[in-house]
Amino acid sequence: MAKKKAPAGTPAIAALTSAQAEFTVHAYEHDPAHPSYGEEAAQAMGVSPDRVFKTLVAEVDGVLTVAVVPVSGSLDLKALATAVAGKRAAMADPALAERTTGYVRGGISPLGQRKRLRTVVDESATAHTTICVSAGRRGLEVELAPATLTALTAATLAPIGRT
């Protein structure tokens, strides 16, 4: 894996480049009819869905929180609340998530968000040398080490995914 310059950069790729992080950009043709952005990315890149992580925005006790979980599973909202010492978690309003992060649904990246939100990454990420997350646009993913993602987002690692 080598440092790559952004093809038609996004804030996520700019953040990785600025941090001099090692990452690889994967671009694919997005099919708007596909029922799952994450599964589409895994199929298009030929990568196991366990290594492709989706970025979800939830509200924990009224505070927007980013959850990064494998596309092969789902987010456990109760576990997310516990991970940030909260009581209640619910998925955030999609329009609010888009306005706050600066990205569109299906292209929300945990990196380079307009407003930096607290972030929790599912601990299963550490089982892989590299994982893929959205690069900030549908049809664009970045592959990076889980430690790089957690460092650049100041994320907490916790068991927040369900299979």
Side-chain angles (χ1 to χ4, degrees), residues 3-161:
K3 293 178 190 169
K4 298 268 180 149
K5 287 205 173 184
T10 64
I13 294 173
L16 287 163
T17 303
S18 175
Q20 299 183 338
E22 287 191 25
F23 66 97
T24 302
V25 176
H26 297 278
Y28 60 92
E29 192 64 37
H30 168 61
D31 175 6
H34 200 287
S36 167
Y37 298 116
E39 288 176 13
E40 177 191 25
Q43 290 168 0
M45 295 184 303
V47 174
S48 166
D50 293 340
R51 282 191 46 229
V52 179
F53 283 65
K54 55 190 168 187
T55 305
L56 303 171
V57 181
E59 283 191 56
V60 180
D61 298 336
V63 177
L64 289 179
T65 303
V66 172
V68 182
V69 296
V71 301
S72 59
S74 60
L75 172 62
D76 181 336
L77 287 165
K78 189 172 183 176
L80 177 64
T82 300
V84 296
K87 292 181 182 176
R88 296 189 109 184
M91 294 305 297
D93 174 69
L96 177 61
E98 289 180 343
R99 274 193 317 274
T100 305
T101 64
Y103 294 116
V104 297
R105 209 169 108 224
I108 294 177
S109 177
L111 300 155
Q113 296 176 354
R114 181 177 291 148
K115 179 181 179 191
R116 190 175 196 167
L117 302 174
R118 68 180 170 187
T119 302
V120 182
V121 175
D122 185 66
E123 67 184 10
S124 68
T126 62
H128 307 286
T129 305
T130 61
I131 61 170
C132 298
V133 297
S134 176
R137 190 172 70 219
R138 295 173 188 153
L140 197 64
E141 296 277 313
V142 289
E143 181 178 353
L144 70 170
T148 301
L149 177 63
T150 57
L152 292 178
T153 59
T156 300
L157 285 168
I160 60 167

